[in-house]
Amino acid sequence: MLQRLITLTFPLLLAGCISLDPDYQRPQAPVPANLPQGAAYATPSGKLSLSYPDIPWRDYVVDALLRQVVTMGLSSSRDLREAIANIESARALYGEQRSELFPTINAGVDGTRSRSLTGNGNATAISQSYEASASTSSFELDLFGKNRSLSRSKFETYLAESEAAKSTRLTLIADIVTDWVNVAAERSLLTAAKDTMESARLSLEVTRKNQQNGILSMVDVASADTVYQQARSDVASYTTSVAQAKNALDLVVGQSVPESLLPSGIEGLSGIMKDMPANVSSQVLLNRPDVLEAEHNLKSANASIGSARAAFFPSISLTASGGVGSGELSSLFSKGAGVWSFAPSISLPIFTGGYNTSQLNYTKAQKDLYVATYEKAVQTAFQETADALARKGTIGEQLAAQTGYVAASREYYRLAELRYRHGVDTYLNMLDAQRTLYTARQSLISAQQTEYQNLITLYKVLGGGITAEKQGDSVVANSATLTR
């Protein structure tokens, strides 16, 4: 039994002696140490108790209706289901590759019973034999770490898919919020167009009556008609936009969003998300899921180099078996004789037509590719964050100005209409004031839309909820903890 045990476990003792993987060094981030500063960027005040990665989306999204829509998306989105399926596939491939580190042990019982002629050619003799054994066949000793390198490569690919799923989840949340706000904005634009069309229609009727009475000319009628027709065209256009915005929201959520969960307009939204200061260094961006995904892909390529290097060295394969044999089945396990076999083989690559060298050069080139990909991911993260912070630093002033612009335009229109009714001013000035008010309302709606979109963009680009997700907030199915 001891001999059999040694025969079967000897391969395990020899497996994985060395590794030819290059020493991994994280590339230097090709971005400044600190995020940009200047007139466009907000200056945070006070010390932050929490940063964006620490805040779960449920705490960041305050509006109750919007929370329900996001929850629907996280449970129904096909993009998220696809990401989770990719995780499971990568984990299965890792398990498949990791199995190469261990021998395949098979147990079996064989028996033979035969009838043969005796020496005189007349009588017959019946012989029988039985054998029970455990065996391993063609197990390659991983002396130079080839299989371990391949296993590490698959493991890093699995981790990359996990980070990709986190990135998909974060992007999904941002897309749902953005599309929900878009529905609100398009509905507000439609309301503004309808209000302007109705006002212009009434003005056009009055203008036509005045022209028939000789008070106004056809120029005034034509001017009034341009405002009405433009607003009428916008009503048709925004009606389409409202429907398309709703369709886009349904697609990203993965199911039809009920009308009861939709906003009536952007004016009624207030404080739907937290407005937090963002005082972070560029090093925080290295923990973004997409950046970590790129780094795990780089580590996978690094491990592949070790596997390609190991192909230049000899490979040793073992075939071994041990068990008992007997002429009687009833005495096989009680009085059977021990049987065993041990057949090692060694293979040394002498000439491969340049295949091994080309494979090594390919893995090195792939590593260079993933270094560039990682650096580009860091640069993209820096640029996205800088852009969002620049918008955050100016959107408050822009909103205040646009709100004042609408108030001034409304007063301008009121006074222009009053002056026209009293014969002090021309009808063209009143029409100009009406157009100005319409444009001002559209600009304010656009600015409000930009503010809400910037809030969710900041949450996304700064890795919102990633730390909280690691503490149990994640909906990504990542159940098994794998170790190398």
Side-chain angles (χ1 to χ4, degrees):
M1 289 299 295
L2 179 61
Q3 188 179 38
R4 264 182 260 139
L5 182 62
I6 293 175
T7 300
L8 294 176
T9 59
F10 180 66
L12 297 176
L13 299 177
L14 293 179
C17 295
I18 62 175
S19 172
L20 299 178
D21 294 1
D23 291 335
Y24 175 76
Q25 297 291 332
R26 174 186 282 180
Q28 290 291 328
V31 294
N34 296 313
L35 292 165
Q37 297 180 354
Y41 301 93
T43 303
S45 58
K47 187 176 181 180
L48 299 181
S49 58
L50 288 175
S51 60
Y52 283 87
D54 301 322
I55 301 178
W57 73 265
R58 297 178 186 86
D59 294 339
Y60 189 75
V61 177
V62 179
D63 187 89
L65 297 182
L66 182 53
R67 277 184 182 176
Q68 294 183 58
V69 176
V70 174
T71 301
M72 290 173 58
L74 291 176
S75 63
S76 303
S77 171
R78 272 54 179 181
D79 290 336
L80 195 55
R81 292 181 184 179
E82 180 182 340
I84 294 174
N86 286 336
I87 291 178
E88 297 300 325
S89 298
R91 182 169 59 189
L93 289 176
Y94 165 66
E96 180 181 323
Q97 182 60 54
R98 191 168 183 264
S99 68
E100 296 293 330
L101 298 175
F102 306 96
T104 300
I105 300 176
N106 299 309
V109 177
D110 297 323
T112 60
R113 182 180 175 88
S114 63
R115 179 181 182 184
S116 61
L117 295 174
T118 60
N120 57 22
N122 295 321
T124 62
I126 297 177
S127 64
Q128 58 188 13
S129 65
Y130 299 94
E131 182 176 319
S133 64
S135 63
T136 178
S137 60
S138 300
F139 171 64
E140 181 180 350
L141 296 181
D142 201 23
L143 296 177
F144 302 100
K146 176 183 177 181
N147 290 332
R148 292 183 67 83
S149 294
L150 291 174
S151 179
R152 277 191 291 271
S153 178
K154 292 297 184 182
F155 181 73
E156 294 296 340
T157 300
Y158 160 73
L159 294 181
E161 290 294 344
S162 297
E163 295 299 334
K166 295 176 185 177
S167 182
T168 299
R169 176 177 182 263
L170 188 54
T171 299
L172 174 64
I173 294 171
D175 289 346
I176 291 174
V177 173
T178 297
D179 288 344
W180 191 81
V181 170
N182 287 345
V183 171
E186 294 298 337
R187 288 185 169 185
S188 291
L189 288 170
L190 177 59
T191 299
K194 287 181 176 179
D195 292 345
T196 302
M197 184 182 72
E198 180 62 20
S199 175
R201 185 186 65 80
L202 295 175
S203 296
L204 180 58
E205 291 179 355
V206 172
T207 304
R208 282 175 174 166
K209 290 180 180 179
N210 289 337
Q211 186 272 330
Q212 293 172 359
N213 294 328
I215 301 175
L216 296 176
S217 66
M218 285 300 298
V219 174
D220 297 321
V221 174
S223 297
D225 197 26
T226 58
V227 177
Y228 171 73
Q229 297 299 340
Q230 179 61 57
R232 179 186 171 194
S233 174
D234 288 347
V235 167
S237 177
Y238 289 135
T239 300
T240 300
S241 297
V242 167
Q244 291 175 339
K246 173 61 165 56
N247 293 338
L249 178 62
D250 289 344
L251 176 62
V252 73
V253 170
Q255 59 180 300
S256 180
V257 179
E259 180 64 29
S260 59
L261 298 181
L262 296 177
S264 58
I266 203 166
E267 299 86 358
L269 304 182
S270 178
I272 63 173
M273 287 172 283
K274 284 187 176 180
D275 188 1
M276 297 172 51
N279 186 14
V280 296
S281 70
S282 59
Q283 294 300 311
V284 175
L285 304 179
L286 299 182
N287 292 322
R288 275 188 20 165
D290 57 335
V291 175
L292 290 177
E293 177 190 359
E295 184 173 11
H296 285 305
N297 284 328
L298 173 57
K299 290 180 179 179
S300 176
N302 189 72
S304 296
I305 294 178
S307 173
R309 286 175 173 176
F312 288 89
F313 293 87
S315 62
I316 300 176
S317 298
L318 299 179
T319 300
S321 65
V324 292
S326 173
E328 299 291 337
L329 181 62
S330 60
S331 62
L332 177 62
F333 294 100
S334 59
K335 298 180 181 180
V339 294
W340 61 271
S341 68
F342 181 67
S345 66
I346 184 169
S347 174
L348 176 66
I350 297 177
F351 178 73
T352 60
Y355 175 83
N356 288 345
T357 300
S358 298
Q359 182 65 21
L360 179 58
N361 291 337
Y362 172 77
T363 57
K364 289 180 177 179
Q366 284 292 293
K367 180 180 178 180
D368 292 339
L369 168 65
Y370 284 112
V371 167
T373 301
Y374 172 78
E375 292 176 342
K376 182 62 178 293
V378 174
Q379 290 177 332
T380 301
F382 185 89
Q383 181 256 327
E384 289 177 348
T385 303
D387 286 351
L389 290 175
R391 173 58 63 193
K392 179 180 175 63
T394 58
I395 190 62
E397 180 65 20
Q398 182 180 349
L399 268 174
Q402 289 292 346
T403 302
Y405 182 33
V406 170
S409 298
R410 186 171 283 112
E411 180 65 9
Y412 172 39
Y413 177 59
R414 186 186 70 83
L415 294 175
E417 185 179 28
L418 188 62
R419 287 170 60 85
Y420 167 71
R421 300 303 178 197
H422 289 79
V424 179
D425 208 346
T426 64
Y427 184 70
L428 294 178
N429 285 340
M430 189 191 76
L431 291 178
D432 180 68
Q434 190 177 39
R435 292 191 188 98
T436 300
L437 176 58
Y438 182 37
T439 302
R441 291 182 65 182
Q442 291 175 315
S443 298
L444 177 59
I445 292 169
S446 178
Q448 291 170 327
Q449 183 180 12
T450 299
E451 180 193 26
Y452 292 128
Q453 289 175 346
N454 184 66
L455 287 175
I456 196 59
T457 298
L458 272 174
Y459 187 74
K460 173 187 173 182
V461 301
L462 288 173
I466 296 304
T467 303
E469 179 180 299
K470 293 178 180 178
Q471 296 171 351
D473 183 58
S474 177
V475 298
V476 176
N478 193 1
S479 55
T481 302
L482 300 178
T483 56
R484 281 173 281 185

